[in-house]
Amino acid sequence: MNPAPTIGVLALQGDVREHLAALEASGARAVPVRRESELQAVDGIVLPGGESTTIDKLLRTFELFEPLRAAIAAGLPAYGSCAGMILLAERILDGAEGQRTLGGLDITVRRNAFGRQVDSFETDLEVRGVPDSAEHPLHAVFIRAPWVEEVGPGVEVLASVERGPAAGRIVAVRERDVVATSFHPEISGDQRLHRMFVQIVKDRG
Ligand code: GLN
């Protein structure tokens, strides 16, 4: 039995290093993924924050779009933050022309949803499945983030914004072994969300 699962971070663009560090600190062996052979060697995959249109284009350039889509569809555990959430959504609003997503989550996301006034902001959140987050909320950093506009019947809402102009907006979801957050736990120094994902990967193995 191998206690440390191997988790890949899609390393085409975005905050790859931060996710690698957060995964290592959470008990995983973390590896960058840029090619199909590397994808085939991981037990789970993280799609980082960055720019979803750029990552979409690079996925095609690196011939990773189809293998990654197929792997997630076949059940590879996946976690996406911000741009990564957009990539995991089945449906996208306010996407760039021709922008495609990998899918995996039966949700509709709205890209750059929070608008100019609350373009980037920080707030504290209780996140279902994150131990202790009622007493010790997760500090969530949002940067030109999407929100989840609609969820399908199999999707569990893990967190919604609790106060301010965006109160009530869904910002964390899970469906089977696929998790997504609008915010960036990889830059807050709080590893509880990464630990939750590492546990999902371990449970599956
Ligand atoms: N606005 C970006 C996009 O559309 C996401 C921003 C982020 O990942 N911080 O992909």
Side-chain angles (χ1 to χ4, degrees), residues 24-168:
E24 287 281 348
S26 304
R29 202 173 76 83
V31 294
V33 168
R34 285 189 199 84
R35 40 179 108 207
E36 190 176 349
S37 58
E38 292 164 341
L39 176 66
Q40 305 308 344
V42 300
D43 305 312
I45 186 86
V46 168
L47 309 181
E51 176 48 55
S52 58
T53 54
T54 305
I55 297 174
D56 175 30
K57 286 192 194 115
L58 290 170
L59 279 169
R60 301 186 222 196
T61 306
F62 281 72
E63 295 179 357
L64 261 180
F65 190 96
E66 191 47 37
L68 185 53
R69 190 205 61 72
I72 295 168
L76 181 71
Y79 166 51
S81 65
C82 202
M85 170 189 262
I86 297 171
L87 286 160
L88 289 171
E90 299 282 354
R91 296 166 299 278
I92 174 172
L93 300 170
D94 295 338
E97 207 179 312
Q99 182 175 2
R100 296 185 310 171
T101 65
L102 297 160
L105 278 174
D106 183 14
I107 61 172
T108 304
V109 290
R110 186 175 292 282
R111 194 167 153 252
N112 299 333
F114 290 89
R116 286 202 147 255
Q117 280 180 349
V118 282
D119 210 17
S120 298
F121 69 104
E122 305 186 10
T123 190
D124 288 337
L125 292 177
E126 181 181 352
V127 182
R128 273 183 83 170
V130 170
D132 241 21
S133 68
E135 301 81 18
H136 304 286
L138 217 85
H139 190 65
V141 179
F142 294 79
I143 306 166
R144 295 178 185 283
W147 67 42
V148 179
E149 192 117 344
E150 280 176 356
V151 299
V155 176
E156 185 185 3
V157 173
L158 301 182
S160 304
V161 177
E162 291 164 26
R163 57 188 79 84

Side-chain angles (χ1 to χ4, degrees), residues 15 19 48-50 79 81-83 139-145 181-189 194:
D15 57 355
H19 274 293
Y79 166 51
S81 65
C82 202
H139 190 65
V141 179
F142 294 79
I143 306 166
R144 295 178 185 283
T181 62
S182 303
F183 52 91
H184 293 271
E186 70 278 12
I187 62 178
S188 70
H194 286 82

